[in-house]
């Protein structure tokens, strides 16, 4: 019975922790401009993150080493350094977006200027990093993040034409009002939003934090294979809500407030309150994860002691890194930059940086020196290779498309 | 291949022969409590055929003909030079004397704790000057 | 010596290639009707958002704070649209007329959003309905301009 509860907790946390500000914004933008014609990208992205997370979790559980330690050892310091700089910067960008997301969600509830919330949010994030146990932190933000199920509830309450929605998803076409370049640009953005690199740093370092052994692989596989697709369904419901309510009114999403209007229309103030709580929890959780990832990447590359399982005095440089990245992220936000715009850039750059993390994991997952008998099977390698091609294509096309479309105009 | 073109036979000294790049460089250094200390960024070598305390030869001076022993692990300032090239002066290296090394495997282990090592001074500095000054810095999160 | 030169030659070739690629990917200059169309689209989105928010507010589905936040964001978007139109370099009198029409429609939408904001802050229901109607009118006007502009 206890085991069943543990498994249920793992799955629920995976669902609630799946969404972050990148998913929220990108899915809503896509739903309001392209309808259901990009839903297939979410499906591809979910399969991809399942493959990726599962591989990196297995690597961490079997080898006892986390991602960047392996990258440094396997690729050497030069390639590892390039990888580190790129991953660190994009992580910082994502962290900035997440903290901004927390502030925007709090503004929705209070109409207090977000710049007043940003330092508060950053301080709260740091306090949790400083004092709260890893498992508790994950479980609380994951479970409260489940409130985002409100989007799926809203979709049902809106009573849409399901046949229309389904056919729009199954027969994707570029709408007349948008060009092909913009369509593919947003496909890449959506892909980057689903397959966030920080997820992998966090997942594999978390496996070391929680001291996973080989026997934990099965449970993590279940969490991933059940939790992430359900999280993907939530992403799709966000897009569908935007399609049903915003697209017919020609409302192109550019602010967080527009994203929740369909929820208010469907379920009034109560459902809206639930969803706002969910947004705060999801973005807060993602801010925690990205801060930790910044600490993990730097500490693992440079060989410092790291981990939330150690007291801060025993992982001093690790904690200092997180403090500094939070300060820098908050500083960027206080210049008045629009957090939604930061989010839109962060997902595209995540897609660009994806090969840097993915390729080393794929290589190590096949290395018997690290993995022993738990190297990738044929199916996993086939899937892994397919996604390698997809990831490389997305990474190569992202910047040219960004330039050509003026970042999705 | 003619006799002249064949590679010279490697020397076979007593003791363990390691491949620097494969077994030592970029490896994590742990202390006896499994606490990560630093990475191995470079090695200090001494040729047993020369006198002691002779600085290692520049690139091209190390051939397979002589026996070289590792006298210390180097880290810190040496990282930048490994990535970008060049050689830092000896005083910039953080040394871990080879005598402290207790095991070489997937990680390099040091006997005792790392608190007295030069190589971990930045960790101690950040800990004492910054982290310990923030309330709760010594709190055990488990 | 030959080696160093070869390396420099390769670096130079790389630099030239990258510059050409970036230049080739640079977005083509956007024509006046395109800019007007984009600005009007943005203004329509802003006004429609405000209208939806007002409708939900008057039906009691959207709390006051969230409505105010939504309207503030709409106002920013409308201002941006006006700015894009105002800074546009028009090549001829026909484009100038189109731009002026669009500016007028966007200005009407902006003032409707501002009226809505004050309606939300006070408690008179009548003003809420009036501002919602003003928003609907502004959207129709913007739609008309967009039909004319369509590039």
């Amino acid at each position: 019975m206890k085991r069943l509860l543990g498994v249920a907790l793992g799955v629920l946390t995976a669902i609630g922790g799946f969404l972050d500000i990148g998913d929220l914004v990108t899915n809503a933008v896509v739903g309001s401009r392209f309808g259901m014609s990009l839903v297939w990208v979410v499906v591809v992205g979910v399969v991809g993150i399942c493959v990726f997370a599962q591989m990196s979790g297995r690597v961490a559980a079997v080898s006892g080493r986390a991602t960047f330690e392996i990258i440094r050892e396997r690729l050497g310091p030069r390639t590892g350094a390039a990888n580190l700089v790129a991953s660190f910067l994009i992580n910082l960008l994502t962290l900035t977006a997440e903290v901004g997301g927390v502030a925007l969600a709090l503004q929705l509830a209070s109409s207090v200027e977000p710049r007043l919330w940003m330092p508060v949010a950053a301080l709260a994030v740091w306090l949790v990093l400083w004092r709260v146990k890893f498992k508790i932190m994950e479980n609380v933000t994951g479970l409260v993040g489940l409130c985002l199920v409100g989007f799926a509830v809203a979709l049902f309450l809106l009573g849409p034409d399901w046949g229309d929605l389904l056919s729009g998803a199954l027969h994707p076409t570029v709408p007349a009002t948008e060009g092909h370049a913009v369509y593919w640009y947003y496909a890449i953005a959506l892909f980057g939003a689903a397959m966030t690199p920080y997820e992998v740093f966090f997942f594999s370092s978390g496996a070391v934090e929680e001291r996973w052994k080989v026997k934990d692989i099965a449970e993590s596989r279940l969490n991933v294979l059940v939790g992430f697709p359900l999280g993907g369904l939530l992403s799709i419901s966000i897009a569908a809500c935007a399609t049903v309510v915003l697209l017919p009114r020609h409302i192109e999403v550019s602010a967080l407030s527009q994203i929740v209007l369909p929820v208010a229309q469907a379920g009034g103030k109560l459902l809206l309150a639930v969803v706002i709580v969910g947004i705060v929890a999801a973005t807060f959780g993602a801010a925690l994860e990205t801060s930790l990832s910044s600490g993990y990447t730097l500490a693992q590359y440079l060989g410092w002691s790291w981990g939330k399982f150690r007291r801060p005095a025993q992982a001093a440089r690790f904690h200092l890194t997180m403090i500094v990245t939070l300060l820098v992220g908050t500083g960027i936000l206080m210049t008045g930059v629009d957090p939604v715009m930061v989010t839109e850039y962060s997902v595209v750059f995540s897609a660009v940086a994806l090969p840097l993390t993915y390729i080393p994991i794929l290589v190590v997952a096949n290395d018997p020196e690290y993995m022993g008998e738990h190297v990738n099977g044929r199916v996993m390698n086939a899937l892994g290779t397919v996604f390698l091609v997809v990831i490389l294509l997305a990474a190569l096309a992202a910047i040219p498309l960004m330039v050509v479309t003026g970042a999705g105009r | 291949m003619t006799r002249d073109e064949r590679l010279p036979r490697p020397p076979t000294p007593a003791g363990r022969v390691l491949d620097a790049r494969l077994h030592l460089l970029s490896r994590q250094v742990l202390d006896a409590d499994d606490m990560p200390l630093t990475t191995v960024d470079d090695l200090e070598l001494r040729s047993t055929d020369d006198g002691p305390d002779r600085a290692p030869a520049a690139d091209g001076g190390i051939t397979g003909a002589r026996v070289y022993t590792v006298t210390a692990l180097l880290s810190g300032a040496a990282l930048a030079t490994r990535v970008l090239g060049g050689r830092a002066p000896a005083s910039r290296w953080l040394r871990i004397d080879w005598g402290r090394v207790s095991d070489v495997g997937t990680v390099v282990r040091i006997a005792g704790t790392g608190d007295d090592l030069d190589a971990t001074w930045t960790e101690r500095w950040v800990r004492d000057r910054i982290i310990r000054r923030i309330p709760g810095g010594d709190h055990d999160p488990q | 010596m030959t080696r160093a030169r070869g390396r420099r030659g390769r670096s130079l070739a790389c630099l030239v290639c990258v510059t050409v690629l970036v230049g080739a990917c640079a977005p083509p200059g956007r024509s006046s009707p395109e800019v007007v169309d984009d600005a009007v689209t943005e203004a329509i989105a802003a006004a429609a958002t405000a209208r939806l928010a007002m409708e939900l507010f008057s039906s009691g589905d959207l709390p006051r704070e969230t409505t105010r936040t939504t309207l503030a964001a709409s106002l920013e978007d409308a201002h941006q649209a006006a700015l894009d139109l105002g800074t546009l370099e028009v090549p001829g009198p026909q484009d100038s007329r189109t731009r002026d029409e669009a500016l007028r429609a966007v200005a009407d939408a902006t003032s409707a959003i501002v009226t809505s904001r004050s309606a939300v802050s006070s408690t008179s229901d009548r003003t809420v309905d009036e501002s919602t109607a003003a928003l609907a009118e502004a959207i129709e006007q913007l739609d008309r301009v967009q039909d004319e502009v369509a590039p």
Side-chain angles (χ1 to χ4, degrees), chain A residues 126 146-147 260 329:
Chain A
W126 172 72
L146 271 179
C147 287
V260 298

Side-chain angles (χ1 to χ4, degrees), chain A residues 72 78 130 303 308 313 316-317, chain B residues 26 83 122-123 127 135 137 141:
Chain A
R72 182 194 72 229
R78 232 177 237 144
W130 190 245
K308 271 192 64 47
R317 289 173 292 186
Chain B
S26 293
V83 174
T122 47
E123 176 75 15
R127 183 190 66 197

Side-chain angles (χ1 to χ4, degrees), chain A residues 97-356:
Chain A
E98 306 291 350
V99 175
V102 178
L104 285 180
L106 291 171
Q107 181 201 23
L108 270 182
S110 64
S111 82
V112 168
E113 160 83 26
R115 269 195 278 185
L116 291 176
W117 283 118
M118 283 159 190
V120 174
L123 184 64
V125 170
W126 172 72
L127 275 170
V128 172
L129 290 173
W130 190 245
R131 291 292 291 224
V132 177
K133 213 164 129 176
F134 189 87
K135 204 75 184 113
I136 295 180
M137 174 192 92
E138 254 202 301
N139 287 343
V140 171
T141 53
L143 286 177
V144 180
L146 271 179
C147 287
L148 288 174
V149 163
F151 275 106
V153 172
L155 186 61
F156 273 100
L157 291 174
L158 286 169
D161 184 340
W162 294 102
D164 252 359
L165 286 179
L166 205 60
S167 77
L170 293 174
H171 306 287
T173 49
V174 181
T177 46
E178 308 279 1
H180 275 79
V182 186
Y183 179 82
W184 287 106
Y185 173 74
Y186 276 106
I188 293 175
L190 207 53
F191 187 65
M195 289 199 65
T196 42
Y198 78 80
E199 194 66 54
V200 169
F201 302 137
F202 184 74
F203 205 73
S204 91
S205 305
V208 176
E209 289 258 24
E210 295 177 352
R211 307 238 202 275
W212 284 6
K213 294 287 171 281
V214 173
K215 62 176 170 63
D216 294 309
I217 294 179
E219 188 178 323
S220 104
R221 192 175 286 159
L222 186 69
N223 292 347
V224 165
L225 292 180
V226 175
F228 285 4
L230 288 175
L233 275 179
L234 276 185
S235 294
I236 295 175
S237 64
I238 296 174
C241 281
T243 306
V244 170
V245 174
L246 303 177
L247 181 63
R249 293 167 194 256
H250 307 293
I251 296 178
E252 298 188 351
V253 169
S254 61
L256 192 65
S257 47
Q258 292 159 319
I259 299 175
V260 298
L261 289 179
V263 174
Q265 180 173 322
K269 288 178 183 169
L270 185 60
L271 193 61
L272 178 68
V274 169
V275 163
I276 291 180
V277 167
I279 295 177
V280 172
T283 44
F284 193 85
L288 290 169
E289 291 184 11
T290 42
S291 313
L292 282 167
S293 296
S294 66
Y296 290 144
T297 50
L298 203 60
Q300 286 163 18
Y301 180 79
L302 293 173
W304 301 342
S305 80
W306 56 271
K308 271 192 64 47
F309 62 92
R310 297 201 158 97
R311 62 186 76 192
Q314 288 181 322
R317 289 173 292 186
F318 169 69
H319 276 270
L320 183 63
T321 307
M322 293 198 289
I323 292 173
V324 169
T325 46
L326 272 171
L327 284 172
V328 171
T330 313
I332 295 174
L333 286 170
M334 296 302 275
T335 62
V337 69
D338 179 16
V340 173
M341 199 188 67
V342 174
T343 307
E344 293 186 354
Y345 278 107
S346 78
V347 293
V348 177
F349 282 114
S350 291
V352 176
L354 211 44
L356 294 176

Side-chain angles (χ1 to χ4, degrees), chain C:
Chain C
M1 187 59 194
T2 333
R3 235 194 191 168
R5 206 182 285 156
R7 211 177 298 153
R8 249 186 310 187
R10 266 204 299 274
S11 312
L12 192 61
C14 275
L15 195 62
V16 169
C17 278
V18 169
T19 316
V20 167
L21 273 172
V22 172
C25 291
R30 299 171 72 231
S31 67
S32 174
E34 274 174 2
V35 175
V36 174
D37 185 50
D38 279 349
V40 171
T41 307
E42 198 175 351
I44 291 176
T49 308
R51 181 181 170 190
L52 178 59
M54 293 302 283
E55 286 171 2
L56 292 172
F57 175 68
S58 79
S59 66
D61 286 326
L62 202 65
R64 191 182 305 272
E65 291 74 24
T66 318
T67 316
R68 284 173 56 180
T69 308
T70 313
L71 290 173
S74 299
L75 194 56
E76 270 184 49
D77 286 345
H79 276 145
Q80 185 59 49
L83 190 63
D84 291 341
L85 287 170
T87 53
L88 176 64
E89 294 283 343
V90 279
Q94 173 60 30
D95 290 303
S96 181
R97 267 195 296 276
T98 320
R99 191 266 299 272
D100 292 342
E101 248 187 84
L103 256 177
R104 267 193 296 272
V106 172
D108 285 343
T110 310
S111 79
I113 297 174
V114 171
T115 317
S116 307
R117 282 190 84 194
S118 47
V120 169
S121 301
S122 68
T123 49
S124 161
D125 263 347
R126 238 184 80 202
T127 331
V128 168
D129 289 340
E130 280 173 357
S131 17
T132 315
L135 283 168
E137 250 186 70
I139 294 171
E140 276 179 34
Q141 196 183 356
L142 285 164
D143 280 334
R144 275 196 297 273
V145 172
Q146 188 159 58
D147 289 337
E148 286 172 21
V149 167

Side-chain angles (χ1 to χ4, degrees), chain A residues 1-12 219 222-223:
Chain A
M1 184 62 194
K2 193 172 170 201
R3 188 152 171 80
L4 203 65
L5 274 178
V7 167
L9 186 64
V11 171
L12 290 173
E219 188 178 323
L222 186 69
N223 292 347

